């Protein structure tokens, strides 16, 4: 039976052989994954990209002397006959677990030089520095190998879905001009233009908008983006990839309708049968509601807890600790109802209060509803029956529930931390589910207390809701943008917007943020000129490929789904980047370094 993967080195791949191959003489090539000596009977688990096949030799077999000196990760070609395993030795955890290969010959193709710094066939964890230095070995390990295969399959699936939906795949430049888009640029000096620099694109933002000006109706690409920013568990420094797309003659709802089915189907295809996925359309949550009820603009909807604002109630209450903080310090009060929490032991409430203080919060007060109209807890005695009833109504309390309070100037933000803590500590967060939502109506501007001025809150190219009229007549901090994010399980997968494609609206939007018309003409010259040639309304989005695969792979570390990632210090430990370059290279680029050169 011929294999489509047959070559001069193999007739079949590992994990390909099944009971209908029994009796065939086959040739397999791969890495020696593990050797087991059962007293005169030698078992070799042979591994390649596709899986593992068990090969067996007896002491009297001609190849036994070669086999018994093999080391793990030796690269070999094995020939032999496929035989059935006995019922008691069938391995249901392997695709090829019903057969094995009786070895007739072994050819050693390559041997490792000593003990490898990363062992492949063990479950042990190795320091990340070691794993990234020897990434080519780390990638042999089945779990990380599977992550990269998953990534490839996800990208292929997305590409097909986008093409089937009428999107045209177009590549945009990697070398471009520096542009103020929110993060530091990676700069590339020009040899032929002394003193000038290219920049690696933070995103294809301007190019994809220019494609819409050029008359392409639907564009996409799996785009590399480059940003010189600090690493996080869900963000790789240096470069990342996104499904970048843009549509002409599209409203916000049109963009949602284009991308929701793609994301839904990706997760349905690759998440595994044990996972539930929320149906689309994904729920829409305004930015204001998200900040109020979840304490973040990246709400994790697996957590059922909801935050409420009870500042007004406590401002007029007799509980002086809160009312004084509100009147004198400008504090606000947030509350979180936890169902059935009153049944928890007192130690849980004490631990929660201690945790709050450890993370810099002033602590957490609480009340519990014992029965209708009956409350207990350290705060309950300071509140009137009417005030307790109002708290119960606002938080939808039922007997057995407990409501936690946080009172501070930063309570709007810290309440989100408390919500996450309580949901985790009480095991309330749903398992094996992906919960998506759109966060919409982001503010166009925000006030920067350090700069003491109004700045763009998000993407400066977003269209303000209300257009030029809003910019000219509204308080800038009240203006909303046609700006939206896709969030899944508390992780931002994507940001997008309906674009500002009218030059005068663009000038006015930047003017409010403190930029003169000349600045816009200089920094965004191509886009401004293009918009003056007639531009269709357009918008788009850019879901992050790395984060999508990270969620599907069930890991919280984004480096686990990138073949050759930087470490947290933006270093490639395997290739030694960033590295010094020779004086001759610097001279070609018209650069003089004041740093001492390392002696060769």
């Amino acid at each position: 039976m011929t294999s489509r993967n047959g070559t001069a080195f193999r007739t079949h791949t590992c994990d390909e052989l099944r009971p209908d191959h029994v009796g065939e003489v086959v040739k397999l090539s791969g890495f020696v994954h593990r050797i087991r000596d059962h007293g005169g009977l030698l078992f070799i688990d042979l591994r390649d990209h596709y899986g593992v096949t068990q090969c067996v030799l007896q002491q009297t077999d001609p190849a036994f002397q070669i086999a018994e000196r093999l080391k793990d990760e030796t690269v070999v070609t094995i020939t032999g006959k496929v035989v059935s395993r006995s019922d008691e030795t069938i391995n249901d955890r392997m695709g090829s677990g019903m057969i094995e290969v009786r070895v007739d010959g072994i050819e050693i193709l390559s041997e490792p030089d000593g003990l490898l710094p990363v062992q492949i066939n063990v479950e042990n964890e190795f320091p990340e520095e070691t794993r990234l230095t020897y990434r080519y070995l780390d990638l042999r390990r089945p779990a990380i190998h599977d992550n990269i295969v998953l990534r490839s399959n996800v990208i292929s699936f997305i590409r097909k879905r986008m093409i089937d939906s009428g999107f045209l795949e177009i590549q945009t430049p990697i070398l471009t001009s520096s542009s103020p888009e929110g993060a530091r640029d990676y700069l590339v000096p020009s040899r032929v233009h002394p003193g000038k620099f290219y920049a690696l694109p933070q995103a294809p933002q301007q190019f994809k908008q220019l494609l819409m000006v050029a008359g392409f109706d639907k564009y996409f690409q799996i785009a590399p983006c480059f940003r010189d920013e600090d690493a996080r568990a869900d963000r790789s420094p240096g470069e990342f990839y996104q499904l970048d797309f843009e549509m002409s003659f599209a409203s916000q709802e049109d963009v949602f309708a284009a991308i929701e089915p793609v994301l839904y189907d990706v997760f349905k295809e690759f998440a595994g049968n044990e996972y539930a996925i929320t149906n689309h359309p994904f729920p829409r949550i305004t930015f204001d509601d998200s900040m109020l009820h979840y304490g973040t603009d990246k709400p994790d909807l697996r957590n059922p807890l909801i935050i409420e604002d009870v500042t007004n109630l406590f401002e007029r209450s007799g509980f002086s600790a809160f009312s004084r903080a509100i009147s004198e310090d400008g504090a606000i009060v947030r509350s979180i109802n936890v169902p059935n929490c009153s049944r928890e032991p007192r130690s849980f409430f004490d631990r929660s209060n201690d945790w709050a203080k450890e993370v810099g919060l002033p602590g957490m007060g609480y009340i519990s509803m014992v029965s209708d109209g009956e409350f207990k807890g350290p705060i309950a005695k300071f509140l009137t029956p009417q005030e307790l009833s109002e708290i119960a109504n606002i938080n939808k309390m039922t007997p057995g529930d407990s409501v936690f309070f946080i009172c501070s100037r930063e309570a709007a933000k810290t309440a989100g931390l408390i919500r996450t803590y309580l949901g985790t500590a009480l095991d309330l967060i749903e398992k094996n589910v992906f919960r998506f939502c759109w966060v919409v109506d982001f503010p166009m501007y925000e006030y920067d207390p350090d700069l003491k001025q109004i700045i763009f809150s998000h993407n400066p190219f977003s269209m303000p809701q209300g257009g030029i009229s809003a910019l000219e007549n509204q308080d800038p901090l009240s203006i909303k943008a046609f700006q939206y994010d896709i969030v899944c399980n508390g992780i931002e997968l994507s940001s997008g917007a309906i674009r500002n494609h009218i030059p005068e609206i663009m000038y006015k939007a930047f003017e409010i943020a403190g930029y003169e018309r000349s600045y816009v003409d200089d920094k965004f010259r191509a886009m401004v000129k293009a918009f003056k040639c007639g531009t269709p309304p357009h918008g788009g989005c850019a879901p992050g490929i790395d984060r999508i695969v990270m969620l599907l792979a069930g890991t919280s570390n984004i480096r686990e789904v990138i073949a050759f990632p930087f470490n947290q210090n933006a270093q490639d430990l395997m290739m030694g980047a960033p590295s010094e370059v020779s004086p001759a290279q610097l001279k070609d680029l018209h650069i003089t370094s004041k740093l001492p050169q390392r002696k060769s």
Side-chain angles (χ1 to χ4, degrees), residues 267-268 270-279 300-303 427-436 488-489 551-555:
F267 276 78
K268 186 177 179 181
F270 296 103
N273 294 330
E274 70 274 19
Y275 274 82
I277 305 165
T278 53
N279 293 329
D300 187 348
L301 301 187
R302 297 173 303 166
N303 187 340
D427 197 27
L428 300 176
I429 297 174
E430 287 182 284
K431 309 291 193 302
N432 298 335
V433 65
F434 292 112
R435 298 241 174 252
F436 291 88
C488 179
N489 292 3
L551 283 170
L552 290 170
T555 178

Side-chain angles (χ1 to χ4, degrees), residues 218-440:
K218 293 181 178 180
Y219 138 92
F220 91 99
Q221 69 172 316
I222 307 299
C225 303
F226 305 89
R227 297 179 187 177
D228 184 4
E229 56 189 1
D230 294 335
R232 298 190 318 216
D234 64 347
R235 174 188 293 164
S236 179
E239 68 181 87
F240 60 92
Y241 284 77
Q242 61 189 31
L243 164 60
D244 197 60
F245 76 93
E246 198 79 5
M247 306 166 60
S248 283
F249 303 107
S251 68
Q252 181 169 284
E253 286 300 319
D254 294 324
V255 174
F256 291 0
I259 193 59
E260 278 186 19
V262 176
L263 289 180
Y264 177 80
D265 287 348
V266 166
F267 276 78
K268 186 177 179 181
E269 177 75 14
F270 296 103
N273 294 330
E274 70 274 19
Y275 274 82
I277 305 165
T278 53
N279 293 329
H280 59 87
F282 305 150
R284 276 68 159 164
I285 302 172
T286 67
F287 172 84
D288 290 342
D289 282 347
S290 184
M291 295 303 298
L292 170 59
H293 295 303
Y294 304 100
T296 176
D297 60 358
K298 296 178 279 291
D300 187 348
L301 301 187
R302 297 173 303 166
N303 187 340
L305 303 182
I306 300 296
I307 302 166
E308 300 291 351
D309 181 14
V310 289
T311 306
N312 290 339
L313 187 151
F314 278 98
E315 185 176 22
R316 49 185 166 79
S317 77
F319 185 40
S320 60
F322 280 10
S323 60
R324 189 183 308 114
I326 295 168
S327 62
E328 296 179 3
D329 300 330
I332 58 176
V333 186
R334 294 289 194 257
S335 61
I336 305 174
N337 181 26
V338 182
N340 301 316
C341 189
S342 66
R343 297 178 175 84
E344 295 295 324
R346 174 61 184 270
S347 58
F348 170 78
F349 295 90
D350 292 339
R351 284 198 310 272
S352 298
N353 194 56
D354 292 340
W355 169 85
K357 292 178 179 178
E358 287 172 5
V359 297
L361 305 178
M364 284 193 288
Y366 68 92
I367 64 170
S368 298
M369 179 184 281
V370 180
S371 61
D372 286 334
E374 183 181 357
F375 299 86
K376 67 177 183 179
I379 292 180
K381 61 185 176 181
F382 297 103
L383 301 170
T384 67
Q386 177 62 29
E387 289 165 345
L388 290 167
S389 178
E390 286 186 54
I391 290 171
N393 289 335
I394 291 171
N395 290 278
K396 299 180 175 60
M397 293 182 75
T398 59
D401 294 353
S402 297
V403 169
F404 291 80
F405 301 95
I406 180 68
C407 175
S408 74
R409 296 180 66 177
E410 301 297 321
K413 298 177 182 178
T414 55
L417 296 176
I418 294 173
R419 175 178 178 266
T420 299
Y421 166 79
L422 292 171
T424 303
L426 294 169
D427 197 27
L428 300 176
I429 297 174
E430 287 182 284
K431 309 291 193 302
N432 298 335
V433 65
F434 292 112
R435 298 241 174 252
F436 291 88
C437 68
W438 288 99
V439 177
V440 299

Side-chain angles (χ1 to χ4, degrees), residues 388-559:
L388 290 167
S389 178
E390 286 186 54
I391 290 171
N393 289 335
I394 291 171
N395 290 278
K396 299 180 175 60
M397 293 182 75
T398 59
D401 294 353
S402 297
V403 169
F404 291 80
F405 301 95
I406 180 68
C407 175
S408 74
R409 296 180 66 177
E410 301 297 321
K413 298 177 182 178
T414 55
L417 296 176
I418 294 173
R419 175 178 178 266
T420 299
Y421 166 79
L422 292 171
T424 303
L426 294 169
D427 197 27
L428 300 176
I429 297 174
E430 287 182 284
K431 309 291 193 302
N432 298 335
V433 65
F434 292 112
R435 298 241 174 252
F436 291 88
C437 68
W438 288 99
V439 177
V440 299
D441 300 342
F442 277 82
M444 185 82 177
Y445 301 100
E446 61 188 43
Y447 182 76
D448 188 317
D450 295 325
L451 296 176
K452 295 183 171 54
Q453 69 177 55
I454 290 173
I455 61 172
F456 286 110
S457 179
H458 224 290
N459 190 323
F461 305 119
S462 302
M463 178 67 82
Q465 296 183 19
I468 193 70
S469 176
L471 297 178
E472 291 177 341
N473 301 308
Q474 283 184 227
D475 175 356
L477 297 181
S478 73
I479 298 173
K480 302 298 183 184
F482 286 110
Q483 174 77 45
Y484 38 82
D485 284 357
I486 302 173
V487 178
C488 179
N489 292 3
I491 293 176
E492 177 195 323
L493 288 187
S494 175
S495 182
I498 299 300
R499 314 303 179 184
N500 185 345
H501 67 285
I502 306 296
E504 290 307 313
I505 299 179
M506 190 172 177
Y507 285 133
K508 184 63 179 178
F510 275 85
E511 178 189 320
I512 291 173
Y515 299 98
E516 296 181 357
R517 180 179 289 240
S518 59
Y519 176 89
V520 178
D521 287 336
D522 178 48
K523 295 299 183 182
F524 311 109
R525 65 184 67 182
M527 201 151 63
V528 173
K529 286 182 180 179
F531 287 172
K532 293 177 180 179
C533 297
T535 304
H538 58 278
C541 207
I545 295 294
D546 309 304
R547 290 182 181 179
I548 289 172
V549 180
M550 182 183 75
L551 283 170
L552 290 170
T555 178
S556 59
N557 186 341
I558 205 163
R559 292 182 290 283

Side-chain angles (χ1 to χ4, degrees), residues 584-595:
Q585 289 174 288
L586 293 176
K587 183 179 179 181
D588 281 344
L589 296 170
H590 315 283
I591 293 174
T592 301
S593 175
K594 294 183 179 180
L595 297 175

Side-chain angles (χ1 to χ4, degrees), residues 88-106:
E88 64 272 14
T89 60
I90 289 175
N91 187 346
D92 294 330
R93 293 170 296 176
M94 294 171 58
S96 61
M98 296 183 70
I99 60 89
E100 58 191 14
V101 173
R102 289 294 306 271
V103 178
D104 293 326
I106 299 176

Side-chain angles (χ1 to χ4, degrees), residues 200-228:
L200 304 183
Q202 294 185 29
Q205 182 66 50
Q206 295 188 62
F207 289 107
K208 68 178 182 179
Q209 291 191 245
L210 291 170
L211 287 171
M212 299 301 101
V213 179
F216 294 96
D217 195 58
K218 293 181 178 180
Y219 138 92
F220 91 99
Q221 69 172 316
I222 307 299
C225 303
F226 305 89
R227 297 179 187 177
D228 184 4

